[in-house]
Amino acid sequence: MPRDGMTVTDNARGDVTRLLPWAGGVVSGLFAFLLGWDRSLWFDEGYTVMVERLPFADMMHWLAVDAHPPLYYLLLRVWMAVFDDSFAAMRALSAVCCGLTVVATAALVRVVADLRHMILALPVLVLGPLALRYGYEIRMYALLMLLAALGTLLLFHATRAEDALARGRSDATARRRVWVWWVLYAVVVCLGMLTQYLIAFLWAVQAVWLLARTLHTHPARGDASSWRWLAAYALAVILYLPWLPHAIDQFRHNVLPSLKGMFGPGRLAELVTAWLTGLDASHLTGFVTLGLLAVAGVLLWSRPRVAAAWRPLVLMWVAPAIVLIVVAAIRELLYAPYGGFFTVRYSCAFLPFVYATMGLVVAGLALRRWNDGGDDGNGGGDGNANRRGGSRTVHTWFRRWGAWIVVVAMMALGDMGLAVHGNVIYEKGYVPHARQAATAAPCSPDVAVVAADPYTYIDAVAYYRDCANYWLIEPEDGIPTRGGYAPLAEVADSRTIRSLDDLPDGMDSVTVLVSDGQHPGSFASTHHPVEGTERIGEYTVLRFR
């Protein structure tokens, strides 16, 4: 039955608008899945596939000595048990997280703005290129985006419920509802820390915001009710305790590779470009630059405004981004030239708020009341005045819709660029070709494939996972006991060789794979003379008889 004062049509319209975020989530998840269809895996994804194939206890052991917490791997393991272990099925988990992130972010926009703003912002959320890029990778970044958006949504609901209590709505049901929001927020905070440590910057910003908000809103209140959020963080810490010793151990033995180079203005420009287009510097053309200039020009010309209610949402990405850049700057001073820290994928911890802000800004321009200075409504005026009025009307229409059209078009073109160029690896500046290299270098009982180094072995291992004749040339320093190479200890006794002469007898041919940036030794062999060399993307393929 329709509510008082509402017609059946009003209810139907309300049902449709409530379904819009879910429809957007379905479209976004489908886009992400299709963009990732048949894309080659790269090293990080190869690592995921490799550890997921291990027995559970072994997987947990190697994850504990890696750089990241285990939640994504556990969730993926359950997902694979329900569906299967194909690459498409594994990518589908990230695509589902990508779609749910759109739903959560749209709900977040609806909390800080009205329904019209949410509807107009939705295309930006759906088409966000960088979210789609990591919306199919077999890594934790899509889950990270979902938990960031969901946690912030729960936070805003909790603070709104607190405000309702402060205004006198203090019945038992209202108080219970506040605690429910805070408990759910605590659970998501813990899950975020079990997914990727960088989300701690977001939770820290939210804690500081809550502290400032409490001191500003309730400066004279001595009761504990205004500090419920502290209980939420305490609960999150308690829930996190089982993993905490492993997290401390991982920080004590940091195994993340340092990146060469500094986070200068050029890197910042690359980051913003990736947000808007999903492309890296090697794929930027003059037309892309013109498009970015058009976005900047239209926004400056239209003079967008950030409403007071939106500012906490803006804070959720500006503050973590600044903190990450500050950390990168400090590391550069201490460890130059290999102090690099910030990579594009790290922005996934706050990426939903970047797109939410973009969507709100262009939606706000489209919905702003503009004074076009046209006809005064009396029907008078000469022809010149009417022509001037028509010109002003076009001018106003473009100021209203120009930014929305340009931003949405830029993102749509960026998505097309991702579809053409593939899953670019931003910090390396290339698109992976492990699948193509494996296709050109098949493995069989009579044909051995040898990875020249641990990086290459893991980079391509997913495509040789069913071949018993895939080998690794043992590094001179041995296999590390921590980090991404550590799980290779599982194959150290059965799949490593010191030279090609250590291969079993009876090989018809041998193929050696070498990826860029690696420095393997000599492949001189008395049993296997060189036959030829082929270049495939970042791979050098050496063939021996």
Side-chain angles (χ1 to χ4, degrees):
M1 292 292 291
R3 297 193 302 269
D4 292 343
M6 294 185 65
T7 66
V8 173
T9 302
D10 292 332
N11 273 345
R13 186 180 297 115
D15 292 339
V16 170
T17 54
R18 280 192 293 270
L19 289 174
L20 280 177
W22 291 98
V26 170
V27 172
S28 181
L30 185 59
F31 276 0
F33 183 73
L34 293 177
L35 283 174
W37 185 262
D38 208 30
R39 298 295 184 191
S40 176
L41 275 62
W42 71 294
F43 176 87
D44 283 11
E45 294 177 297
Y47 173 87
T48 301
V49 173
M50 182 173 64
V51 297
E52 290 290 351
R53 288 177 60 87
L54 297 174
F56 180 79
D58 293 341
M59 182 186 80
M60 294 304 298
H61 169 75
W62 296 119
L63 291 179
V65 296
D66 190 33
H68 302 297
L71 180 62
Y72 169 76
Y73 302 96
L74 295 174
L75 183 60
L76 180 60
R77 200 173 186 92
V78 173
W79 180 273
M80 292 164 62
V82 174
F83 298 99
D84 61 57
D85 62 351
S86 67
F87 300 151
M90 297 170 81
R91 290 200 186 283
L93 173 60
S94 294
V96 169
C97 290
C98 179
L100 291 176
T101 300
V102 170
V103 177
T105 309
L108 193 58
V109 170
R110 183 68 181 86
V111 169
V112 302
D114 60 23
L115 180 62
R116 296 183 303 163
H117 283 83
M118 187 273 288
I119 292 173
L120 288 176
L122 191 58
V124 177
L125 306 182
V126 170
L127 296 173
L130 197 61
L132 293 176
R133 162 63 187 87
Y134 287 106
Y136 61 79
E137 187 161 284
I138 308 176
R139 295 292 288 167
M140 71 285 297
Y141 299 106
L143 178 61
L144 180 69
M145 290 187 284
L146 172 59
L147 293 173
L150 182 58
T152 306
L153 177 62
L154 294 170
L155 171 68
F156 283 12
H157 277 302
T159 54
R160 287 201 163 199
E162 291 275 14
D163 292 341
L165 284 181
R167 290 193 296 268
R169 303 174 187 174
S170 56
D171 58 278
T173 302
R175 288 193 297 271
R176 187 163 51 249
R177 185 180 297 114
V178 170
W179 279 114
V180 168
W181 288 123
W182 283 126
V183 168
L184 292 174
Y185 175 68
V187 170
V188 173
V189 168
C190 177
L191 294 177
M193 291 299 297
L194 287 170
T195 300
Q196 226 279 353
Y197 294 125
L198 285 174
I199 203 172
F201 291 114
L202 175 64
W203 302 147
V205 167
Q206 293 183 355
V208 172
W209 177 73
L210 284 167
L211 176 62
R213 183 180 180 277
T214 302
L215 295 176
H216 175 73
T217 308
H218 310 289
R221 291 180 62 178
D223 62 291
S225 62
S226 58
W227 298 89
R228 289 186 183 89
W229 57 273
L230 285 177
Y233 283 106
L235 175 59
V237 172
I238 292 172
L239 295 173
Y240 191 69
L241 285 177
W243 181 254
L244 184 59
H246 300 293
I248 294 172
D249 186 60
Q250 287 178 334
F251 281 106
R252 286 180 59 243
H253 303 89
N254 180 32
V255 295
L256 282 175
S258 295
L259 303 175
K260 188 173 182 179
M262 306 297 180
F263 192 87
R267 288 283 182 88
L268 182 60
E270 289 177 14
L271 179 62
V272 175
T273 301
W275 290 345
L276 278 168
T277 69
L279 302 177
D280 72 316
S282 65
H283 293 107
L284 296 182
T285 65
F287 287 107
V288 175
T289 303
L290 288 174
L292 294 172
L293 290 174
V295 170
V298 171
L299 288 175
L300 289 173
W301 179 50
S302 301
R303 296 193 300 275
R305 302 168 185 169
V306 177
W310 307 350
R311 289 171 190 166
L313 193 59
V314 177
L315 180 69
M316 297 307 159
W317 68 269
V318 172
I322 291 174
V323 172
L324 281 171
I325 294 172
V326 169
V327 171
I330 294 173
R331 284 177 55 89
E332 289 166 5
L333 288 175
L334 297 176
Y335 305 110
Y338 289 95
F341 172 73
F342 196 107
T343 66
V344 169
R345 64 179 180 271
Y346 289 171
S347 68
C348 288
F350 50 82
L351 188 61
F353 318 121
V354 174
Y355 291 134
T357 300
M358 290 183 186
L360 279 170
V361 166
V362 296
L365 289 171
L367 296 172
R368 186 192 299 179
R369 292 183 178 276
W370 296 88
N371 179 16
D372 62 10
D375 188 9
D376 61 7
N378 294 324
D382 58 21
N384 289 333
N386 287 334
R387 284 192 295 273
R388 286 195 300 271
S391 176
R392 292 192 186 99
T393 300
V394 173
H395 174 271
T396 301
W397 184 93
F398 191 75
R399 289 190 73 181
R400 169 174 288 175
W401 290 103
W404 189 92
I405 293 171
V406 170
V407 168
V408 171
M410 193 71 197
M411 289 186 170
L413 291 173
D415 295 339
M416 293 179 190
L418 284 176
V420 172
H421 296 298
N423 50 330
V424 62
I425 310 303
Y426 296 96
E427 64 269 28
K428 293 182 175 293
Y430 66 69
V431 174
H433 290 81
R435 178 177 60 83
Q436 293 86 337
T439 301
C443 177
S444 70
D446 300 323
V447 178
V449 177
V450 179
D453 56 88
Y455 184 96
T456 304
Y457 185 93
I458 296 175
D459 199 52
V461 69
Y463 298 100
Y464 294 109
R465 55 182 175 172
D466 296 322
C467 180
N469 215 6
Y470 182 49
W471 302 84
L472 166 66
I473 293 182
E474 184 177 353
E476 293 182 0
D477 298 332
I479 294 174
T481 58
R482 306 185 70 93
Y485 296 158
L488 293 176
E490 297 282 344
V491 300
D493 295 333
S494 59
R495 288 289 174 267
T496 57
I497 55 176
R498 293 189 177 277
S499 72
L500 299 186
D501 290 335
D502 293 336
L503 287 169
D505 295 334
M507 293 294 110
D508 292 341
S509 65
V510 178
T511 304
V512 175
L513 303 179
V514 186
S515 56
D516 286 350
Q518 307 307 310
H519 304 286
S522 171
F523 300 111
S525 171
T526 57
H527 299 131
H528 302 286
V530 177
E531 186 175 45
T533 301
E534 182 181 2
R535 183 72 179 176
I536 303 175
E538 73 277 15
Y539 276 85
T540 300
V541 180
L542 295 87
R543 305 186 188 280
F544 298 80
R545 292 195 299 275

